[in-house]
């Protein structure tokens, strides 16, 4: 019935795969499979100081790149489920994440307020919510903890190099007051849709380390996960 209904909807409201453009489906089986083909640890070069261990589900290229852009910039919100499943796979690939490891706190890296307003949604937070649901279905306790916010304006990252991005983001994030205690209620995993230079995740890690009341018990095990990483960062570790 689901496939039949999609065919009818496709005739009335034409859609195309967010990855390859195939008609009458929001996401084809091939593109969906490519999202979780080979989760692995990733490292940008140069690696920013303070960057936690990061795992990614896929390389940011071809269909994966198209899907992330469609979700983030063109409002293809139906892709959030598949992207969330990919993020969940990256979380599971992180060292030490067993089903009995306690509650996983997925802390999304926040978008700038003007970017969120322009898009009409926060892509990382939406994908994080889908990832948490996927983890729970697999027996892992997980929830989204959106406790980071920007405390100052930052420039658009597009076109900035690795060092420029680090300078642009330095000190830009802070843990909200209520978040200081909440960060101690589980194992923190910083999450985002994409890793390029690692500057955003490094700044998020700094803010969490500075803003947690839990001490080294939480921040010492700090990890991160993303849907996709730049091809160069993704290619470094193939084991």
């Amino acid at each position: 019935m689901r496939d039949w209904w999609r065919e009818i909807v496709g005739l009335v409201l034409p859609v195309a795969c967010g990855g390859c453009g195939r008609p009458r489906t929001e996401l084809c089986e091939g593109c969906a499979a490519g999202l979780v083909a080979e989760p692995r640890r990733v490292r940008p070069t140069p690696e920013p100081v303070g960057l936690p261990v990061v795992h990614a589900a896929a390389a940011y290229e071809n269909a994966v790149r198209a899907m992330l852009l469609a979700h983030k910039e063109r409002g293809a919100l139906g892709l959030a489920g598949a992207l969330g499943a990919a993020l969940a796979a990256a979380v599971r690939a992180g060292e030490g994440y067993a089903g009995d490891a306690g509650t996983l706190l997925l802390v999304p890296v926040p978008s700038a307020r003007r970017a969120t307003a322009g898009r009409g949604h926060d892509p990382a937070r939406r994908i994080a919510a889908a990832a948490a649901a996927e983890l729970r279905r697999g027996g892992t306790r997980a929830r989204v903890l959106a406790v980071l916010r920007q405390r100052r304006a930052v420039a658009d990252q597009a076109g900035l190099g690795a060092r420029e991005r680090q300078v642009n983001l330095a000190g830009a994030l802070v843990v909200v007051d209520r978040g200081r205690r909440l960060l101690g209620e589980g194992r923190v995993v910083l999450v985002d849709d994409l890793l390029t230079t690692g500057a955003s995740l490094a700044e998020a890690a700094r803010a969490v380390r500075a803003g947690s009341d839990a001490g080294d018990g939480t921040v010492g095990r700090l990890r991160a996960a993303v849907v996709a990483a730049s091809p160069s960062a993704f290619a470094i570790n193939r084991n």
Side-chain angles (χ1 to χ4, degrees):
M1 287 292 291
R2 182 182 299 174
D3 291 340
W4 175 82
W5 177 247
R6 285 176 177 171
E7 283 294 314
I8 295 296
V9 171
L11 290 172
V12 179
L13 298 172
V15 295
C17 173
C20 65
R22 179 181 175 183
R24 296 189 186 180
T25 179
E26 194 165 39
L27 182 63
C28 73
E29 292 182 2
C31 290
L35 273 171
V36 291
E38 197 179 359
R40 65 177 70 152
R41 184 176 178 181
V42 293
R43 289 189 177 98
T45 303
E47 186 171 340
V49 175
L51 182 70
V53 172
V54 186
H55 283 75
Y60 184 63
E61 58 187 356
N62 304 325
V64 173
R65 179 178 184 274
M67 283 182 275
L68 282 170
L69 287 174
H71 175 262
K72 177 183 283 187
E73 306 295 352
R74 297 195 294 276
L77 303 185
L79 295 174
L83 295 173
L87 181 59
V91 171
R92 293 190 190 102
E95 296 177 8
Y97 291 116
D100 60 352
T103 301
L104 294 183
L105 306 175
L106 306 189
V107 178
V109 177
S111 300
R113 291 181 181 178
R114 62 181 179 276
T116 299
R119 293 169 180 147
H121 73 121
D122 186 327
R125 188 167 180 173
R126 185 179 293 274
I127 294 172
E134 177 70 15
L135 289 165
R136 290 193 296 269
R137 283 191 289 269
T140 300
R141 286 173 290 171
R143 61 191 176 98
V144 176
L145 198 61
V147 295
L148 290 176
R149 67 172 178 84
Q150 288 193 341
R151 62 180 174 185
R152 64 169 177 80
V154 297
D156 189 343
Q157 297 275 81
L160 298 182
R163 178 58 183 164
E164 292 170 321
R165 289 188 178 207
Q166 291 175 41
V167 172
N168 183 43
L169 293 172
L173 298 180
V174 65
V175 173
V176 299
D177 289 341
R178 66 178 179 83
R180 300 181 68 90
R181 174 184 57 81
L182 295 175
L183 287 170
E185 296 182 355
R187 300 182 65 175
V188 176
V189 186
L190 298 170
V191 294
D192 207 350
D193 56 350
L194 174 65
L195 176 142
T196 51
T197 67
S200 295
L201 285 172
E203 170 57 20
R206 182 209 59 77
V208 166
R209 291 177 179 124
S212 173
D213 285 339
D216 292 340
T218 291
V219 300
R221 297 193 302 268
L222 190 61
R223 294 291 186 270
V226 295
V227 176
S230 64
S232 60
F234 196 76
I236 289 177
N237 290 299
R238 293 191 177 276
N239 296 323

